[in-house]
Coordinates of all heavy atoms in Angstrom, one line a residue:
S1 N 0.8 -1.2 0.0 CA 0.0 0.0 0.0 C 0.9 1.3 0.0 O 0.5 2.3 -0.6 CB -0.9 0.0 1.2 OG -0.2 0.0 2.4
Y2 N 2.0 1.2 0.6 CA 2.9 2.3 0.7 C 3.4 2.7 -0.8 O 3.4 3.8 -1.2 CB 4.1 2.1 1.6 CG 5.0 3.3 1.8 CD1 4.5 4.4 2.4 CD2 6.3 3.3 1.2 CE1 5.3 5.5 2.6 CE2 7.1 4.4 1.4 CZ 6.6 5.5 2.1 OH 7.4 6.6 2.2
L3 N 3.8 1.6 -1.5 CA 4.2 1.8 -2.9 C 3.0 2.4 -3.7 O 3.2 3.3 -4.6 CB 4.7 0.5 -3.5 CG 6.1 0.1 -3.0 CD1 6.4 -1.3 -3.6 CD2 7.2 1.1 -3.3
E4 N 1.8 1.9 -3.5 CA 0.6 2.4 -4.2 C 0.4 3.9 -3.9 O 0.1 4.7 -4.8 CB -0.6 1.6 -3.9 CG -0.6 0.2 -4.4 CD -1.8 -0.6 -3.9 OE1 -2.6 -0.1 -3.2 OE2 -1.9 -1.7 -4.3
K5 N 0.7 4.3 -2.7 CA 0.5 5.7 -2.3 C 1.6 6.5 -3.0 O 1.3 7.6 -3.5 CB 0.7 5.9 -0.8 CG 0.5 7.3 -0.3 CD 0.6 7.4 1.2 CE 0.4 8.8 1.6 NZ 0.9 9.1 2.9
M6 N 2.8 6.0 -3.1 CA 3.9 6.7 -3.8 C 3.6 6.8 -5.3 O 3.9 7.9 -5.9 CB 5.2 6.0 -3.6 CG 5.7 6.1 -2.2 SD 7.3 5.2 -1.9 CE 8.5 6.3 -2.6
V7 N 2.9 5.9 -5.9 CA 2.5 6.0 -7.3 C 1.4 7.0 -7.4 O 1.5 7.9 -8.3 CB 2.0 4.6 -7.8 CG1 1.3 4.8 -9.2 CG2 3.1 3.6 -7.9
S8 N 0.5 7.1 -6.5 CA -0.6 8.1 -6.6 C -0.1 9.5 -6.4 O -0.6 10.4 -6.9 CB -1.7 7.8 -5.6 OG -1.3 8.0 -4.3
E9 N 1.0 9.6 -5.6 CA 1.6 10.9 -5.4 C 2.6 11.3 -6.5 O 3.2 12.4 -6.5 CB 2.3 10.9 -4.1 CG 1.4 10.8 -2.9 CD 2.1 10.7 -1.5 OE1 3.4 10.6 -1.5 OE2 1.4 10.8 -0.5
G10 N 2.8 10.4 -7.5 CA 3.7 10.7 -8.6 C 5.2 10.5 -8.3 O 6.0 10.8 -9.1
I11 N 5.5 9.9 -7.2 CA 6.9 9.6 -6.8 C 7.4 8.4 -7.6 O 8.6 8.4 -8.0 CB 7.0 9.3 -5.3 CG1 6.6 10.6 -4.5 CG2 8.4 8.9 -4.9 CD1 6.3 10.4 -3.1
L12 N 6.6 7.4 -7.8 CA 6.9 6.2 -8.6 C 6.0 6.2 -9.8 O 4.9 6.7 -9.8 CB 6.8 5.0 -7.8 CG 7.7 4.8 -6.6 CD1 7.4 3.5 -5.8 CD2 9.2 4.7 -7.1
E13 N 6.4 5.5 -10.9 CA 5.6 5.3 -12.1 C 5.3 3.8 -12.3 O 6.0 3.0 -11.8 CB 6.3 5.9 -13.3 CG 6.6 7.3 -13.3 CD 7.4 7.8 -14.5 OE1 7.1 7.3 -15.6 OE2 8.3 8.6 -14.3
L14 N 4.2 3.6 -13.1 CA 3.9 2.2 -13.4 C 4.1 2.1 -14.9 O 3.8 3.0 -15.7 CB 2.4 1.9 -13.1 CG 2.0 1.9 -11.6 CD1 0.5 1.6 -11.5 CD2 2.8 0.9 -10.8
D15 N 4.5 0.9 -15.4 CA 4.6 0.6 -16.8 C 3.3 0.1 -17.3 O 2.3 0.0 -16.6 CB 5.8 -0.3 -17.1 CG 5.6 -1.7 -16.6 OD1 4.5 -2.1 -16.1 OD2 6.5 -2.5 -16.7
E16 N 3.2 -0.4 -18.6 CA 2.0 -0.8 -19.2 C 1.4 -2.0 -18.5 O 0.2 -2.2 -18.5 CB 2.2 -1.2 -20.7 CG 2.7 -0.1 -21.6 CD 4.2 0.1 -21.4 OE1 5.0 -0.8 -21.2 OE2 4.6 1.3 -21.5
Q17 N 2.2 -2.9 -17.9 CA 1.8 -4.1 -17.2 C 1.5 -3.8 -15.7 O 1.4 -4.7 -14.9 CB 2.8 -5.2 -17.3 CG 2.8 -5.9 -18.6 CD 3.7 -5.1 -19.6 OE1 4.7 -4.4 -19.2 NE2 3.4 -5.1 -20.9
K18 N 1.4 -2.5 -15.3 CA 1.2 -2.0 -13.9 C 2.3 -2.4 -13.0 O 2.1 -2.6 -11.8 CB -0.2 -2.6 -13.4 CG -1.4 -2.3 -14.2 CD -1.7 -0.8 -14.1 CE -3.0 -0.5 -14.8 NZ -3.3 0.9 -14.9
R19 N 3.5 -2.5 -13.5 CA 4.7 -2.8 -12.6 C 5.3 -1.5 -12.3 O 5.3 -0.5 -13.1 CB 5.7 -3.7 -13.4 CG 5.2 -5.1 -13.7 CD 6.1 -5.9 -14.4 NE 6.4 -5.2 -15.7 CZ 7.1 -5.7 -16.7 NH1 7.6 -6.9 -16.6 NH2 7.3 -5.0 -17.8
V20 N 5.8 -1.4 -11.1 CA 6.5 -0.1 -10.6 C 7.8 0.0 -11.4 O 8.6 -0.9 -11.5 CB 6.8 -0.2 -9.1 CG1 7.5 1.1 -8.7 CG2 5.4 -0.2 -8.4
I21 N 8.0 1.2 -11.9 CA 9.3 1.5 -12.6 C 10.2 2.2 -11.6 O 9.9 3.2 -11.0 CB 9.1 2.5 -13.8 CG1 8.1 1.9 -14.8 CG2 10.4 2.9 -14.4 CD1 7.6 2.8 -15.9
I22 N 11.3 1.5 -11.4 CA 12.3 2.1 -10.5 C 13.6 2.3 -11.2 O 14.2 1.3 -11.7 CB 12.6 1.2 -9.2 CG1 11.3 1.0 -8.5 CG2 13.7 1.8 -8.3 CD1 11.4 0.1 -7.3
E23 N 14.0 3.5 -11.4 CA 15.3 3.8 -12.0 C 16.3 4.1 -10.9 O 16.2 5.1 -10.2 CB 15.2 5.0 -12.9 CG 14.4 4.7 -14.2 CD 14.4 5.9 -15.2 OE1 15.3 6.6 -15.2 OE2 13.4 5.9 -15.9
C24 N 17.2 3.2 -10.6 CA 18.1 3.3 -9.5 C 19.5 3.0 -10.0 O 19.8 1.9 -10.3 CB 17.7 2.5 -8.3 SG 18.7 2.7 -6.9
P25 N 20.4 4.0 -10.0 CA 21.8 3.7 -10.4 C 22.6 2.9 -9.3 O 23.8 2.7 -9.6 CB 22.4 5.1 -10.6 CG 21.6 5.9 -9.7 CD 20.2 5.4 -9.6
L26 N 22.0 2.6 -8.2 CA 22.7 1.9 -7.2 C 22.4 0.4 -7.2 O 21.3 0.0 -7.5 CB 22.3 2.4 -5.8 CG 22.6 3.9 -5.5 CD1 22.0 4.2 -4.2 CD2 24.1 4.1 -5.5
K27 N 23.3 -0.4 -6.8 CA 23.1 -1.8 -6.6 C 22.7 -2.0 -5.1 O 23.5 -1.8 -4.2 CB 24.3 -2.6 -6.9 CG 24.8 -2.6 -8.3 CD 26.0 -3.5 -8.5 CE 26.4 -3.4 -10.0 NZ 27.7 -4.1 -10.2
I28 N 21.4 -2.3 -4.9 CA 20.9 -2.4 -3.6 C 20.3 -3.8 -3.4 O 19.5 -4.2 -4.2 CB 19.8 -1.3 -3.3 CG1 20.3 0.1 -3.5 CG2 19.2 -1.4 -1.9 CD1 19.3 1.2 -3.4
D29 N 20.7 -4.4 -2.3 CA 20.2 -5.8 -2.0 C 18.7 -5.8 -1.8 O 18.2 -4.8 -1.2 CB 21.0 -6.3 -0.8 CG 20.6 -7.7 -0.5 OD1 21.3 -8.6 -1.0 OD2 19.7 -7.9 0.3
K30 N 18.0 -6.8 -2.1 CA 16.6 -6.9 -1.9 C 16.2 -6.8 -0.5 O 15.2 -6.2 -0.1 CB 16.0 -8.2 -2.5 CG 16.0 -8.2 -4.0 CD 15.4 -9.5 -4.5 CE 15.5 -9.6 -6.0 NZ 15.0 -10.9 -6.5
K31 N 17.0 -7.3 0.4 CA 16.7 -7.2 1.9 C 16.8 -5.8 2.3 O 16.0 -5.3 3.2 CB 17.7 -8.1 2.7 CG 17.5 -9.6 2.5 CD 18.5 -10.4 3.3 CE 18.3 -11.8 3.0 NZ 19.3 -12.6 3.7
V32 N 17.8 -5.0 1.8 CA 17.9 -3.6 2.1 C 16.7 -2.8 1.6 O 16.1 -2.0 2.3 CB 19.2 -3.0 1.6 CG1 19.3 -1.5 1.8 CG2 20.4 -3.7 2.2
I33 N 16.3 -3.1 0.4 CA 15.1 -2.4 -0.2 C 13.8 -2.7 0.7 O 13.1 -1.8 1.0 CB 14.8 -2.8 -1.6 CG1 15.9 -2.2 -2.5 CG2 13.5 -2.4 -2.1 CD1 15.9 -2.7 -4.0
S34 N 13.7 -4.0 1.1 CA 12.6 -4.3 1.9 C 12.6 -3.6 3.3 O 11.6 -3.1 3.7 CB 12.6 -5.8 2.2 OG 11.5 -6.2 3.1
F35 N 13.8 -3.5 3.9 CA 14.0 -2.8 5.1 C 13.6 -1.3 5.0 O 12.9 -0.7 5.8 CB 15.4 -2.9 5.7 CG 15.7 -2.0 6.9 CD1 15.2 -2.4 8.1 CD2 16.4 -0.9 6.7 CE1 15.4 -1.6 9.2 CE2 16.6 0.0 7.8 CZ 16.1 -0.4 9.1
I36 N 14.2 -0.7 3.9 CA 13.9 0.7 3.7 C 12.4 1.0 3.5 O 11.8 1.9 4.0 CB 14.7 1.2 2.4 CG1 16.2 1.3 2.7 CG2 14.2 2.6 2.0 CD1 17.0 1.5 1.5
N37 N 11.7 0.1 2.7 CA 10.3 0.3 2.4 C 9.5 0.1 3.7 O 8.5 0.8 3.9 CB 9.9 -0.8 1.4 CG 8.4 -0.6 1.0 OD1 8.0 0.5 0.7 ND2 7.7 -1.7 0.9
N38 N 9.9 -0.7 4.6 CA 9.1 -1.0 5.8 C 9.5 0.0 6.9 O 8.7 0.2 7.8 CB 9.4 -2.4 6.3 CG 8.7 -3.4 5.4 OD1 7.7 -3.2 4.8 ND2 9.4 -4.5 5.3
A39 N 10.7 0.6 6.9 CA 11.1 1.4 8.1 C 11.2 2.9 7.8 O 11.1 3.6 8.8 CB 12.6 0.9 8.5
F40 N 11.3 3.3 6.6 CA 11.5 4.7 6.3 C 10.3 5.4 5.6 O 9.5 4.7 5.0 CB 12.7 5.0 5.4 CG 14.0 4.6 6.0 CD1 15.0 4.0 5.2 CD2 14.2 4.7 7.4 CE1 16.2 3.6 5.8 CE2 15.5 4.3 7.9 CZ 16.4 3.8 7.1
N41 N 10.2 6.7 5.7 CA 9.2 7.4 5.0 C 9.8 7.9 3.6 O 11.0 7.6 3.4 CB 8.6 8.6 5.7 CG 9.7 9.7 6.1 OD1 10.6 9.9 5.3 ND2 9.5 10.3 7.2
K42 N 9.1 8.5 2.8 CA 9.6 8.8 1.4 C 10.8 9.8 1.5 O 11.7 9.7 0.7 CB 8.5 9.3 0.5 CG 7.9 10.7 1.0 CD 6.8 11.1 0.0 CE 6.3 12.5 0.5 NZ 5.2 13.0 -0.3
D43 N 10.8 10.7 2.4 CA 11.9 11.6 2.5 C 13.2 10.9 2.9 O 14.3 11.2 2.4 CB 11.6 12.7 3.5 CG 10.5 13.7 3.0 OD1 10.3 13.8 1.7 OD2 9.8 14.3 3.8
A44 N 13.1 9.9 3.9 CA 14.2 9.2 4.3 C 14.8 8.3 3.1 O 16.0 8.2 2.9 CB 13.9 8.3 5.5
I45 N 13.9 7.8 2.3 CA 14.3 7.0 1.1 C 15.0 7.9 0.2 O 16.1 7.5 -0.4 CB 13.0 6.4 0.5 CG1 12.4 5.3 1.4 CG2 13.4 5.7 -0.9 CD1 11.1 4.8 1.0
K46 N 14.5 9.1 -0.1 CA 15.2 10.0 -1.0 C 16.6 10.3 -0.5 O 17.6 10.3 -1.2 CB 14.5 11.4 -1.1 CG 13.2 11.3 -1.8 CD 12.5 12.7 -1.8 CE 11.1 12.7 -2.3 NZ 10.5 14.0 -2.2
I47 N 16.8 10.6 0.8 CA 18.1 10.9 1.4 C 19.0 9.7 1.3 O 20.2 9.8 0.9 CB 17.9 11.3 2.9 CG1 17.2 12.7 3.0 CG2 19.3 11.3 3.6 CD1 16.8 13.1 4.3
Y48 N 18.5 8.5 1.6 CA 19.3 7.3 1.5 C 19.8 7.1 0.1 O 21.0 6.8 -0.2 CB 18.5 6.0 1.9 CG 19.2 4.7 1.9 CD1 20.0 4.3 2.9 CD2 19.2 3.9 0.7 CE1 20.7 3.1 2.9 CE2 19.9 2.8 0.7 CZ 20.6 2.4 1.7 OH 21.3 1.2 1.7
V49 N 19.0 7.2 -0.9 CA 19.4 7.0 -2.3 C 20.4 8.1 -2.7 O 21.4 7.8 -3.4 CB 18.1 7.0 -3.2 CG1 18.6 7.0 -4.7 CG2 17.3 5.7 -3.0
C50 N 20.1 9.3 -2.3 CA 21.0 10.4 -2.7 C 22.4 10.2 -2.1 O 23.4 10.3 -2.8 CB 20.5 11.7 -2.1 SG 21.5 13.2 -2.6
L51 N 22.5 9.8 -0.9 CA 23.8 9.5 -0.2 C 24.4 8.3 -0.9 O 25.7 8.2 -1.1 CB 23.6 9.2 1.3 CG 23.3 10.4 2.1 CD1 23.0 10.0 3.5 CD2 24.4 11.5 2.0
G52 N 23.6 7.3 -1.3 CA 24.2 6.1 -2.0 C 24.8 6.5 -3.3 O 25.9 6.0 -3.7
I53 N 24.1 7.3 -4.1 CA 24.6 7.8 -5.4 C 25.9 8.6 -5.2 O 26.9 8.3 -5.9 CB 23.5 8.6 -6.1 CG1 22.4 7.8 -6.5 CG2 24.2 9.3 -7.3 CD1 21.2 8.5 -7.0
K54 N 25.9 9.4 -4.2 CA 27.1 10.2 -3.9 C 28.3 9.3 -3.6 O 29.4 9.5 -4.0 CB 26.8 11.2 -2.8 CG 28.0 12.0 -2.4 CD 28.4 13.1 -3.4 CE 29.5 14.0 -2.8 NZ 30.1 14.8 -3.8
W55 N 28.0 8.3 -2.7 CA 29.1 7.4 -2.3 C 29.6 6.6 -3.5 O 30.8 6.4 -3.6 CB 28.5 6.4 -1.2 CG 29.5 5.4 -0.9 CD1 30.5 5.5 0.0 CD2 29.5 4.0 -1.4 NE1 31.2 4.3 0.1 CE2 30.6 3.4 -0.8 CE3 28.8 3.3 -2.3 CZ2 31.0 2.1 -1.1 CZ3 29.1 2.0 -2.6 CH2 30.2 1.4 -2.0
Q56 N 28.7 6.2 -4.4 CA 29.1 5.4 -5.5 C 30.0 6.3 -6.5 O 31.0 5.8 -7.0 CB 27.9 4.8 -6.3 CG 28.3 3.8 -7.3 CD 27.1 3.0 -7.8 OE1 26.0 3.0 -7.2 NE2 27.2 2.4 -8.9
E57 N 29.6 7.5 -6.7 CA 30.4 8.4 -7.5 C 31.8 8.6 -6.9 O 32.7 8.6 -7.7 CB 29.6 9.8 -7.6 CG 28.4 9.8 -8.5 CD 27.6 11.1 -8.5 OE1 28.0 12.0 -7.7 OE2 26.6 11.2 -9.2
C58 N 31.8 8.8 -5.6 CA 33.1 9.0 -5.0 C 34.0 7.8 -5.1 O 35.2 7.9 -5.3 CB 33.0 9.4 -3.5 SG 32.2 11.0 -3.2
K59 N 33.4 6.6 -5.0 CA 34.1 5.3 -5.1 C 34.7 5.2 -6.5 O 35.8 4.8 -6.7 CB 33.1 4.2 -4.8 CG 33.7 2.9 -4.7 CD 32.7 1.8 -4.3 CE 33.1 0.4 -4.6 NZ 32.1 -0.6 -4.3
E60 N 33.9 5.6 -7.5 CA 34.4 5.5 -8.9 C 35.5 6.4 -9.2 O 36.4 6.1 -10.0 CB 33.2 5.7 -9.9 CG 32.2 4.5 -9.8 CD 30.9 4.8 -10.6 OE1 30.8 5.9 -11.2 OE2 30.0 3.9 -10.6
T61 N 35.4 7.7 -8.7 CA 36.4 8.7 -9.0 C 37.6 8.6 -8.0 O 38.6 9.3 -8.3 CB 35.8 10.1 -8.9 OG1 35.3 10.3 -7.6 CG2 34.7 10.2 -9.9
G62 N 37.5 7.9 -6.9 CA 38.5 7.9 -5.9 C 38.6 9.1 -5.0 O 39.5 9.2 -4.2
D63 N 37.6 9.9 -5.1 CA 37.5 11.1 -4.2 C 37.1 10.7 -2.8 O 36.4 9.7 -2.6 CB 36.5 12.1 -4.8 CG 36.9 12.7 -6.1 OD1 38.2 12.7 -6.4 OD2 36.1 13.2 -6.9
E64 N 37.5 11.6 -1.9 CA 37.0 11.4 -0.5 C 35.5 11.8 -0.5 O 35.1 12.8 -1.1 CB 37.8 12.3 0.5 CG 37.4 12.0 1.9 CD 38.3 12.8 2.9 OE1 39.1 13.6 2.4 OE2 38.1 12.6 4.1
C65 N 34.7 11.0 0.1 CA 33.2 11.2 0.1 C 32.8 11.9 1.3 O 32.7 11.4 2.4 CB 32.5 9.8 0.0 SG 30.8 10.0 -0.6
K66 N 32.5 13.2 1.1 CA 31.9 14.0 2.2 C 30.7 14.7 1.8 O 30.6 15.2 0.7 CB 33.0 15.1 2.6 CG 34.2 14.6 3.3 CD 35.1 15.7 3.7 CE 36.3 15.1 4.4 NZ 37.2 16.2 4.9
F67 N 29.6 14.6 2.6 CA 28.4 15.2 2.2 C 27.7 15.6 3.6 O 27.3 14.8 4.3 CB 27.5 14.2 1.5 CG 26.5 14.8 0.6 CD1 26.8 15.7 -0.4 CD2 25.1 14.5 0.8 CE1 25.9 16.2 -1.3 CE2 24.2 15.1 -0.1 CZ 24.5 15.9 -1.1
S68 N 27.6 16.9 3.8 CA 27.2 17.4 5.1 C 25.6 17.4 5.2 O 24.9 17.4 4.2 CB 27.7 18.8 5.3 OG 27.0 19.7 4.4
V69 N 25.2 17.4 6.4 CA 23.7 17.5 6.7 C 23.2 18.8 6.1 O 22.1 18.9 5.5 CB 23.4 17.4 8.2 CG1 22.0 17.8 8.5 CG2 23.8 16.0 8.7
K70 N 24.0 19.9 6.2 CA 23.6 21.2 5.7 C 23.4 21.1 4.2 O 22.5 21.6 3.6 CB 24.6 22.2 6.1 CG 24.3 23.6 5.7 CD 25.3 24.6 6.2 CE 24.8 26.1 6.0 NZ 25.7 27.0 6.6
A71 N 24.4 20.5 3.5 CA 24.3 20.4 2.0 C 23.1 19.5 1.6 O 22.4 19.8 0.7 CB 25.6 19.8 1.5
L72 N 22.9 18.4 2.3 CA 21.8 17.6 2.0 C 20.4 18.3 2.2 O 19.5 18.2 1.4 CB 21.8 16.3 2.9 CG 21.0 15.1 2.5 CD1 21.3 14.6 1.1 CD2 21.1 14.0 3.5
A73 N 20.3 19.0 3.3 CA 19.1 19.8 3.6 C 18.9 20.8 2.5 O 17.7 21.0 2.0 CB 19.2 20.5 4.9
A74 N 19.9 21.5 2.0 CA 19.8 22.5 1.0 C 19.4 21.8 -0.3 O 18.6 22.3 -1.1 CB 21.1 23.3 0.8
Y75 N 19.9 20.7 -0.6 CA 19.7 19.9 -1.9 C 18.2 19.6 -2.0 O 17.6 19.7 -3.0 CB 20.5 18.7 -1.9 CG 20.3 17.9 -3.2 CD1 21.0 18.2 -4.4 CD2 19.5 16.7 -3.2 CE1 20.8 17.5 -5.5 CE2 19.3 16.0 -4.3 CZ 20.0 16.4 -5.5 OH 19.8 15.6 -6.6
F76 N 17.6 19.1 -0.9 CA 16.2 18.7 -0.9 C 15.2 19.8 -0.5 O 14.0 19.6 -0.5 CB 16.0 17.5 0.0 CG 16.5 16.2 -0.6 CD1 17.6 15.6 -0.1 CD2 15.9 15.6 -1.7 CE1 18.1 14.4 -0.7 CE2 16.4 14.5 -2.3 CZ 17.5 13.9 -1.8
G77 N 15.7 20.9 0.1 CA 14.9 21.9 0.6 C 14.3 21.6 1.9 O 13.2 22.1 2.3
F78 N 15.0 20.7 2.7 CA 14.6 20.3 4.0 C 15.3 21.2 5.1 O 16.2 21.9 4.8 CB 14.9 18.9 4.4 CG 14.3 17.9 3.5 CD1 14.9 16.6 3.3 CD2 13.1 18.1 2.8 CE1 14.3 15.6 2.5 CE2 12.5 17.1 2.0 CZ 13.1 15.9 1.9
T79 N 14.8 21.2 6.3 CA 15.5 21.8 7.4 C 16.6 20.8 7.8 O 16.5 19.6 7.6 CB 14.6 22.1 8.6 OG1 14.1 20.8 9.1 CG2 13.5 23.0 8.2
E80 N 17.6 21.3 8.4 CA 18.7 20.4 8.9 C 18.2 19.4 10.0 O 18.6 18.3 10.0 CB 19.9 21.2 9.5 CG 20.7 21.9 8.4 CD 21.9 22.7 8.9 OE1 22.6 22.1 9.8 OE2 22.1 23.8 8.5
E81 N 17.2 19.9 10.8 CA 16.6 19.0 11.8 C 15.8 17.9 11.1 O 15.9 16.8 11.6 CB 15.6 19.8 12.7 CG 16.3 20.9 13.5 CD 16.7 22.1 12.8 OE1 16.1 22.5 11.8 OE2 17.6 22.8 13.3
K82 N 15.2 18.1 10.0 CA 14.5 17.0 9.3 C 15.4 16.0 8.8 O 15.2 14.8 8.9 CB 13.7 17.6 8.1 CG 12.8 16.6 7.4 CD 11.9 17.2 6.4 CE 11.0 16.1 5.9 NZ 9.9 16.7 5.0
V83 N 16.6 16.4 8.3 CA 17.6 15.5 7.8 C 18.1 14.7 8.9 O 18.3 13.5 8.9 CB 18.7 16.2 7.0 CG1 19.9 15.2 6.7 CG2 18.2 16.9 5.8

């Protein structure tokens, strides 16, 4: 039902066969996806994915991976307390 709500809010899309379309550049284990779906709200999921993408980019370029709460809050338009 949570995924259905995300579809109705336009966060996720469905294909012609009514399957959820997820474009995710990260390799995420199914158990982790299940945990995230059951434990987090949509904002926490956005933050998790954003940090995962940043981590993967840093890993590929060899850069040190730093991403502050302040930068994350600004990126999503959240307060630092919300992050």
Side-chain angles (χ1 to χ4, degrees):
S1 64
Y2 185 69
L3 289 176
E4 288 175 1
K5 183 178 179 196
M6 291 177 78
V7 169
S8 70
E9 292 175 355
I11 297 165
L12 296 175
E13 296 178 41
L14 297 178
D15 67 9
E16 301 81 33
Q17 286 83 32
K18 302 287 186 193
R19 296 176 299 190
V20 175
I21 300 170
I22 299 176
E23 292 185 25
C24 185
L26 297 174
K27 293 180 182 177
I28 303 175
D29 186 89
K30 288 180 182 179
K31 291 179 185 177
V32 174
I33 291 175
S34 177
F35 172 76
I36 290 170
N37 186 45
N38 293 326
F40 296 145
N41 64 30
K42 67 181 180 182
D43 292 333
I45 293 169
K46 289 178 190 177
I47 291 169
Y48 181 88
V49 171
C50 182
L51 290 174
I53 291 168
K54 177 72 172 168
W55 175 81
Q56 192 166 344
E57 288 173 354
C58 293
K59 187 176 166 185
E60 290 172 1
T61 61
D63 293 337
E64 186 175 5
C65 197
K66 293 184 178 180
F67 205 59
S68 69
V69 170
K70 185 174 186 174
L72 194 59
Y75 181 81
F76 285 109
F78 297 156
T79 64
E80 289 182 43
E81 293 77 25
K82 184 173 185 173
V83 172

